[in-house]
């Protein structure tokens, strides 16, 4: 038998399918026998009240019929049972039973039996109180320092303390700032009630503060339990413990010292009378209940703490003295005295397992048989050890941890986008103004090589795009089976999307029980968001892309946008976006250049990306491997900064609207409280235009909410435009500096860190931190810059001046030969060769005045985009 296992002295199972909780167990000499032996009182949520007097012949015996002194059904759920001096005129112990809407006090008595059936026990109702509020828990004690009797305090579910002076109701008070009821205890030494609020604070309330706050004329009537009777309390002291409490217990084993024990979800606290922490213990398990008891060592207190791992730990202050295993998870634990055995541990589980146990061990009669001795063969052991080590090395190789290749995957998902738009648009609730919104069909096929359990498909496209259906759930897939779904993608919001891509993800469970995910990406056609239009000669923003190959006819690379009547001579294309803006694409007849121009900077992105992609695909089909695109103009930073300022301005507006809404909401609630007070008053009084003020405040709240909602929609569109412009700037920097794929990935991670923009974490502060990190590491000028520490907390900046300065400096460092790398060792950084064979430019103190190669403007005026008068 294990030494660390509770020894079963007596146990029983209560009822069938009954439920019990923390307050359902109590131990006391409830029948006033005077023998000093405790009885076990148990109440259940089914309304059964049971009283036990265990006396087994030997430890571990089955329960005897005479052990059950009394069993009665009270027809209402029993929330808590307590034993105390609850009846006036006598100091005998009585039983208090708390129901949801009733408090009953009983006298338990026994009659000496004349036959072998034993003594007869019965209960007699002394008095009861019908409660106007739903009860949660109760506590008792000599409130106010009374002698020879106990008073009862009940806490309701809505935060009212109802105090009863035995047969009469005294008064009720509301707990301030109440949300949910917590544990409640009474300290007789300080004459105060102690509870833990929903703010995760231990709070103490003096009884005198409760009693003196009550008007004398209000205490004569039993109507005090009604809603108008509660008065607010003033707290005596508060201690923030930072977690919810499971139970509170006040002990005073020494006349001069009392302690308040609080069992939290992760910590165990011992407090002084004034709320100061005497000691605390951090628990590495989830506790379920506890009980302090007297220690044999002076100045210390022992505590039993049970947890959800069926363990019972014994602590002396904060020192763990013993740990024992229990057969179930207790919801309540007590220490009782039975017959000649003192200190019996009584535990009750939520399903009715009642057990009396003690700590220690019984002598074990089992003896392990002798093992046949044999000589050790060290050669065989070494060979076996080498074989096992080889198996371990093979099992921990990296390739076994990485995902399997596409050909070996159990489930594969593929997406096929229709080359043509839907004849009948499937767009739903689109906010795009103007004509019909087109849609395109996407066919998704899921193929399974093995049995795939609970497969589900999620289709995601980036807003403002939307899909007709984004979630699909299938039955279990059999081996070598497939499922096909068809959906449509369309433009929902009234702004151009920054990306024309989507993702399909299939989650499933393989037969071994391991969850897996397969995914694939698909690209959407450009004509989903724009259609052919007449080219425009004038535009505010122009970009020129240089190539090393002669220009290709638009009929070849843009057959879906070219008018067939123009034939091979078409060198200008117009793209009319669904949102109303237009972009023009021009091909030079004499040079190897393409020009993209538009009135909006962000609208250049999709057309520029599509142009470069189609050119690369065209030359790839012709097996031309040396095709390259470059950009030699100036980066349009000034126009980019205007989009940043616009987005940041809307974020500031959102913050202001939130503050105004909070102020008006507080004002609205204050007026409501005033009106409710007037309406509750027994003597009618004039409203003094409070109803007019309430209506006006309500209209202001609605107007502010509408304005905040409109600002949120504008901020969404501004963020979409900012992302499109950011994609464009990243592409231009990569073409200008001829960056590698890894360096472009660093750029994208730096300038596009967020999929969504929120007030808590915005684009500006995130990008500023990322750019500052690159300037401090791989783009730093000296070791002094590397020693600078960045703020570890991201917060919304006051303005965008620092961000714009860092972006300007970032481009300047790249112009001088800086190399993007995630390595922080600047000594190993190798300067990249500039376009045209230029070597690294030496650092200068006037970085802001450095000219970008091929640019006609300095960085101080980066916003000047290239405005070429000559035709391309």
């Amino acid at each position: 038998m294990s030494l660390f296992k509770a020894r079963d002295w007596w146990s029983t199972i209560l009822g069938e399918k009954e439920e019990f909780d923390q307050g359902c167990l109590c131990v006391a000499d409830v029948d006033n026998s005077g023998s000093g032996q405790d009885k076990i009182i148990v109440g259940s949520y089914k309304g059964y009240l049971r009283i036990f007097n265990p006396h087994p012949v030997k430890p571990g015996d089955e329960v005897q019929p005479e052990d059950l002194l009394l069993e009665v059904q009270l027809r209402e759920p029993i929330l808590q049972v307590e034993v105390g001096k609850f009846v006036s005129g006598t100091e005998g112990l009585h039983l208090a039973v708390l129901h949801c809407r009733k408090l009953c006090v009983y006298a338990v008595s026994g009659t000496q039996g004349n036959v072998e059936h034993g003594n007869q026990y019965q209960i007699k109702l002394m008095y009861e109180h019908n409660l106007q509020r739903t009860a949660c828990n109760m506590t008792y004690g000599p409130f106010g320092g009374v002698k020879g009797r106990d008073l009862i305090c009940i806490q309701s579910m809505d935060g009212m303390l109802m105090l009863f002076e035995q047969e009469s109701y005294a008064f009720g008070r509301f707990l301030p700032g109440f949300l949910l009821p917590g544990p409640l205890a009474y300290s007789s030494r300080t004459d105060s009630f102690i509870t833990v609020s929903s703010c995760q604070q231990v709070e103490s309330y003096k009884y005198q503060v409760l009693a003196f706050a009550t008007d004398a004329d209000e205490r004569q009537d039993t109507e005090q339990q009604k809603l108008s009777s509660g008065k607010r309390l003033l707290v005596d002291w508060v201690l923030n413990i930072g977690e919810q409490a499971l139970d509170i217990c006040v002990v005073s084993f020494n006349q001069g010292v009392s302690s308040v024990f609080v069992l939290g979800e992760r910590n165990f606290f011992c407090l002084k009378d004034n709320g100061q922490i005497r000691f605390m213990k951090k628990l590495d398990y989830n506790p379920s209940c506890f009980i302090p008891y007297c220690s044999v060592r002076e100045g210390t207190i022992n505590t039993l703490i049970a947890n959800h791992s069926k363990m019972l730990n014994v602590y002396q202050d904060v020192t763990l003295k013993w740990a024992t295993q229990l057969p179930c998870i207790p919801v309540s634990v007590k220490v009782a005295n039975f017959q000649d055995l003192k200190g019996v541990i009584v535990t009750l589980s939520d399903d009715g397992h009642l057990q009396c146990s003690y700590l220690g061990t019984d002598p074990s009669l089992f003896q392990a048989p002798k093992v046949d001795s044999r000589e050790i063969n060290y050669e065989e052991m070494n060979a076996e050890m080498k074989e096992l080590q080889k198996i371990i090395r093979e099992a921990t190789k990296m390739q076994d941890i990485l995902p399997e290749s596409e050909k070996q995957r159990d489930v594969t998902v593929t997406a096929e986008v229709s080359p043509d738009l839907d004849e009948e648009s499937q767009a739903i609730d689109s906010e795009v103004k103007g004509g019909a919104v087109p849609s395109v069909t996407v066919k998704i096929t899921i193929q399974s090589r093995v049995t795939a359990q609970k497969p589900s498909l999620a289709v995601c496209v980036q807003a403002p795009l939307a899909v007709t259906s984004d979630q699909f759930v299938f039955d279990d897939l059999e081996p070598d089976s497939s499922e096909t779904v068809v959906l449509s993608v369309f433009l929902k919001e009234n702004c151009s999307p920054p990306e024309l891509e989507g993702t399909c993800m299939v989650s499933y469970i393989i037969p071994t029980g391991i969850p897996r995910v397969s995914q694939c990406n698909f690209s959407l056609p450009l004509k989903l968001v724009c259609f052919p239009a007449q080219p425009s000669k004038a535009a505010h923003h122009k970009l020129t892309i240089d190539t090393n190959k002669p220009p290709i006819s638009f009929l070849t690379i843009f057959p879906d946008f070219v008018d067939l009547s123009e034939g091979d001579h078409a060198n200008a294309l117009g793209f009319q976006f669904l949102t109303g803006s237009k972009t023009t694409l021009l091909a030079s007849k004499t040079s190897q250049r393409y020009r993209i121009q538009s009135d909006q900077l962000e609208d250049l992105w999709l057309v520029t990306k599509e142009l470069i992609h189609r050119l690369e695909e065209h030359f790839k089909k012709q097996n031309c491997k040396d095709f390259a695109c470059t950009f030699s103009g100036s980066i349009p930073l000034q126009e980019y900064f205007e989009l940043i300022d616009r987005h940041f301005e809307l974020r500031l507006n959102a913050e202001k609207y939130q503050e105004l809404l909070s102020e008006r909401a507080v004002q609205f609630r204050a007026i409501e409280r005033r009106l409710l007070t007037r309406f509750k008053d027994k003597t009618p009084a004039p409203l003094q235009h409070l109803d007019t003020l309430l209506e006006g405040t309500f209209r202001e709240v609605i107007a502010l909410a509408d304005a905040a909602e409109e600002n949120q929609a504008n901020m969404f569109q501004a963020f979409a435009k900012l992302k499109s412009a950011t994609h464009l700037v990243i592409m231009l920097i990569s073409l200008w500096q001829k960056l590698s794929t890894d360096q472009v990935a660093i750029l994208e991670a730096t300038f596009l860190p967020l999929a969504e923009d929120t007030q808590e974490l915005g684009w500006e502060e995130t990008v500023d931190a990322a750019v500052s990190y690159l300037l401090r590491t791989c783009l730093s000028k000296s070791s002094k810059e590397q020693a600078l520490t960045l703020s570890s907390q991201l917060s919304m900046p006051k303005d965008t001046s620092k961000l714009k300065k860092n972006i300007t400096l970032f481009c300047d460092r790249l112009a001088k030969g800086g190399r993007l790398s995630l390595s922080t060792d600047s000594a190993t950084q190798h300067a990249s060769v500039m376009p045209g064979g230029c070597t690294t430019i030496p650092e200068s103190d006037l970085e802001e005045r450095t000219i970008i190669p091929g640019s006609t403007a300095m960085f101080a005026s980066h916003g000047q985009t290239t405005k070429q008068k000559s035709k391309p």
Side-chain angles (χ1 to χ4, degrees), residues 56 83 88 106 161 331 461 533 632 634 672 695 699 712 769 783 837-838:
V83 175
S88 59
Y106 298 94
L161 297 182
V331 295
V461 293
S632 57
S634 59
E672 277 186 324
E695 183 180 358
R699 290 178 179 175
Q712 187 71 23
S783 59
C838 300

Side-chain angles (χ1 to χ4, degrees), residues 726-727 730 739 741-755 762-763 765-774 794 810 820-822:
T726 303
H727 278 292
I730 291 174
L739 300 181
T741 305
D742 293 339
Q743 292 173 325
V744 173
I746 296 175
L747 267 183
E748 291 178 348
T750 302
F751 286 93
L752 294 168
L754 302 176
W763 183 88
E765 55 265 31
T766 312
V767 172
D768 187 26
V771 173
S772 299
Y773 174 80
L774 292 179
L794 296 181
F810 175 82
L820 288 177
S821 172
L822 294 180

Side-chain angles (χ1 to χ4, degrees), residues 408-530:
Q408 297 176 345
R409 283 184 179 173
D410 298 330
V411 174
T412 57
V413 55
T414 56
E416 180 183 354
V417 181
S418 175
D420 301 320
L421 299 177
D422 297 337
E423 295 182 0
E424 183 178 350
S425 177
Q426 303 297 319
I428 305 173
D429 298 332
S430 177
E431 299 177 3
V432 179
K433 301 175 183 179
V437 177
S439 63
V440 66
T441 300
V442 180
K443 180 181 178 182
I444 302 173
T445 303
I446 304 172
Q447 294 181 338
S448 176
R449 295 176 51 252
V450 298
T451 301
Q453 302 172 0
K454 299 180 180 179
S456 61
L457 170 67
V459 183
C460 178
V461 293
Q462 197 173 107
L465 296 173
V467 294
T468 53
S469 181
D470 59 350
Q471 297 286 341
F472 301 90
V473 178
F474 308 100
D475 296 330
D476 293 352
L477 295 177
E478 298 296 331
D480 299 325
S481 62
S482 63
E483 288 282 351
T484 302
V485 295
V486 177
L487 52 91
S488 295
V489 184
F490 61 94
L491 183 64
K492 186 172 184 179
E493 307 288 342
N494 191 28
C495 59
S496 298
E499 288 287 347
L500 286 174
E501 294 180 353
T503 304
C504 305
M505 290 178 290
V506 176
S507 60
Y508 59 95
I509 300 175
I510 60 177
T512 56
I514 302 174
R516 293 283 178 87
V517 174
S518 296
Q519 66 177 13
C520 73
N521 300 325
F522 58 89
S523 299
L524 300 170
L526 180 63
K527 56 185 176 181
L528 182 64
V529 294
C530 64

